[in-house]
């Protein structure tokens, strides 16, 4: 805790701010400065400072010590003491931000006991732009192993029990020691008789064939926050893989949000892009075109003399940003269609236009000569 800044100043809250005001201030600043969203060089340190301030001010006892004695009142708290009881993912709307396995925040945000819990599962969920625009629920389907309900995970037929492996004594591994030149070497291998499980099932459960686990198709409803960013991750606790150690909790299910492909728009952050094709005549003379929006449509004026690949911007017709704020824009690129085949009448009209253009240039050409 080397940063001398006042915690209240860090979160921009009054010293008498209530719990909700402190939580709202932290969430707003955390979403702004999180390194996954903010690429400035000092974003990580700024985020660390914000998280530390929230950890102290959100806890009544820590806050009282800080109010009474300043930094000295919380100087003896370890990082585990500060962050261990806070579910940052819940505060930030269920989003997971990954700092990497070696990152200092990894154990605080995930609170995962290394080697104890089951592995996590990660699935991608394609979300329509309309859902990102309005928010709401989407359905996730995932197949994962669960404890066999028929045998309770033992793998043994109902009314029977697994027996301890006589070869390894239930350890699941064989240890062989060998002493060479005064040094004892130990070789540890999985017990072949029990397959490393420590027990032998003589009468396997018919439901799971003695494995103790079955695969179950699960359906989950997840809340899609308004304006959620592409690649954001939602966590469903306890629905990952089972732990290897009996009794240990399973891992989590992480749902990675991907914006579904849309034939109308291309998403770039909060902005949307689309291409409109217009005729040559409309490009020359100008026209009105109807442009689809996520919440209806809008009539747009194409100015006379519009050039190919010209871009029209519709302010505030994109997506709302995650966490709130001004909507992005919709950019409409104009593609001018040149007809490949002309009717006789159309050809005569273009030839007359061509002749008119040539005659309009001749006086200029003679004057220049």
């Amino acid at each position: 805790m080397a940063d001398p800044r006042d915690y209240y100043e860090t979160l921009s809250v009054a010293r008498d701010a209530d719990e909700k005001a402190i939580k709202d201030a932290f969430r707003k600043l955390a979403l702004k400065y999180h390194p996954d969203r903010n690429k400035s060089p000092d974003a990580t340190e700024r985020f660390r400072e914000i998280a530390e301030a929230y950890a102290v001010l959100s806890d009544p006892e820590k806050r009282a010590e800080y109010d009474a004695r300043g930094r000295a009142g919380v100087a003896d708290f370890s990082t585990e003491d500060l962050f261990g009881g806070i579910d940052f993912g819940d505060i930030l709307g269920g989003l997971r931000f990954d700092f990497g396995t070696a990152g200092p925040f990894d154990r605080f945000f995930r609170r995962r006991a290394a080697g104890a819990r089951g592995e996590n599962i990660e699935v991608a969920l394609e979300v329509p732009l309309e859902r990102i625009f309005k928010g709401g629920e989407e359905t996730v389907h995932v197949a994962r192993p669960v404890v066999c309900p028929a045998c309770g995970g033992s793998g043994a037929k109902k009314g029977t029990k697994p027996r301890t492996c006589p070869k390894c004594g239930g350890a699941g591994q064989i240890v062989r020691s060998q002493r060479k030149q005064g040094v004892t070497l130990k070789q540890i291998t999985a017990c072949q008789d029990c397959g490393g499980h420590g027990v032998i099932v003589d009468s396997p459960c018919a439901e799971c064939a003695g494995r103790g686990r079955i695969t179950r198709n699960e359906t989950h409803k997840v809340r899609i926050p308004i304006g959620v960013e592409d690649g954001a991750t939602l966590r469903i606790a306890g629905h990952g893989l089972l732990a290897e150690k009996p009794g240990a909790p399973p891992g989590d299910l992480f749902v990675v949000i991907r914006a579904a492909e849309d034939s109308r728009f291309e998403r770039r952050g909060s902005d949307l892009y689309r291409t409109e094709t217009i005729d040559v005549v409309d490009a020359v003379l100008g026209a009105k075109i109807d442009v689809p929006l996520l919440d209806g449509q809008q009539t747009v004026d194409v100015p006379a003399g519009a050039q190919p690949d010209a871009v029209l911007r519709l302010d505030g017709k994109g997506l709302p940003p995650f966490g709130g704020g001004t909507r992005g824009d919709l950019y409409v690129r104009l593609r001018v269609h040149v007809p490949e085949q002309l009717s006789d009448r159309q050809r005569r009209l273009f030839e007359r236009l061509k002749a008119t253009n040539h005659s309009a240039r001749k006086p200029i050409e003679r004057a220049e000569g």
Side-chain angles (χ1 to χ4, degrees), residues 8-303:
Y8 293 98
E9 179 186 348
T10 297
L11 296 182
S12 298
V13 296
R15 301 193 75 83
D16 60 351
D18 59 17
E19 181 180 349
K20 182 179 184 303
I22 291 173
K23 183 176 182 179
D24 290 345
F26 166 72
R27 187 175 188 275
K28 179 180 179 180
L29 291 171
L31 291 172
K32 178 179 179 181
Y33 287 103
H34 195 284
D36 283 357
R37 299 162 56 90
N38 190 323
K39 302 305 179 183
S40 62
D42 62 342
T44 298
E45 188 57 37
R46 183 80 172 100
F47 181 80
R48 188 193 303 270
E49 176 190 20
I50 293 165
E52 182 181 310
Y54 176 75
V56 172
L57 299 185
S58 64
D59 185 288
E61 294 183 5
K62 295 183 181 71
R63 182 177 180 180
E65 288 290 333
Y66 178 73
D67 289 343
R69 303 168 54 204
R71 290 297 177 103
V74 294
D76 293 334
F77 287 109
S78 67
T79 51
E80 290 289 354
D81 292 333
L82 285 176
F83 300 102
I86 302 176
D87 189 343
F88 286 97
D90 179 65
I91 296 171
L92 298 178
L95 293 177
R96 176 191 67 160
F97 297 108
D98 192 356
F99 286 84
T101 55
F105 282 81
D106 185 71
R107 61 185 179 276
F108 304 140
F109 281 87
R110 298 189 189 180
R111 295 189 299 169
R112 176 177 177 177
R117 299 184 61 184
E119 293 296 319
N120 297 327
I121 298 176
E122 189 173 278
V123 297
L125 175 63
E126 291 192 345
V127 179
L129 289 178
E130 282 83 1
R131 180 67 68 212
I132 296 174
F133 175 62
K134 297 180 180 180
E137 285 189 341
E138 286 289 324
T139 302
V140 177
H141 301 279
V142 61
R144 74 179 186 99
V146 297
V147 174
C148 175
C151 64
S154 70
K157 182 180 178 180
K158 188 176 182 180
T160 67
K161 293 182 179 180
R163 60 185 174 88
T164 302
C165 175
K167 186 173 182 179
C168 65
Q173 57 188 20
I174 303 297
V175 180
R176 293 183 176 89
S177 299
Q178 187 177 13
R179 188 172 182 82
K180 288 185 178 181
Q181 298 178 350
V183 178
T184 300
L185 302 177
K186 289 188 177 182
Q187 182 183 19
I188 302 176
T189 58
C191 177
Q192 295 183 353
D193 285 13
C194 65
H197 298 294
V199 294
I200 296 176
V201 178
D202 295 313
S203 301
C205 169
E207 187 74 19
C208 64
R211 291 187 294 270
R213 302 177 180 188
I214 61 172
T215 299
R216 175 178 293 168
N217 294 317
E218 295 183 341
T219 300
H220 300 279
K221 294 286 187 179
V222 294
R223 183 180 61 85
I224 306 299
I226 293 176
V228 64
E229 296 174 347
D230 202 55
T233 309
L234 307 178
R235 178 174 65 93
I236 303 177
H239 286 272
L241 295 179
L242 295 174
E244 292 296 329
K245 183 180 179 181
D252 297 332
L253 171 63
F254 290 104
V255 182
V256 182
I257 303 300
R258 300 294 183 195
E261 288 190 11
D262 193 299
S263 59
R264 303 163 300 168
F265 308 106
E266 176 189 350
R267 181 189 187 184
R268 301 180 192 173
S270 295
D271 295 327
L272 297 176
Y273 291 77
R274 93 172 251 109
T275 298
E276 287 284 350
T277 301
I278 60 174
D279 292 328
V280 172
V281 174
D282 291 335
V284 174
L285 301 179
K288 292 182 181 294
I289 58 174
D290 291 328
V291 176
L293 308 173
L294 287 175
D295 52 351
Q297 69 175 23
Q298 179 172 324
T299 300
V300 178
D301 290 322
V302 175

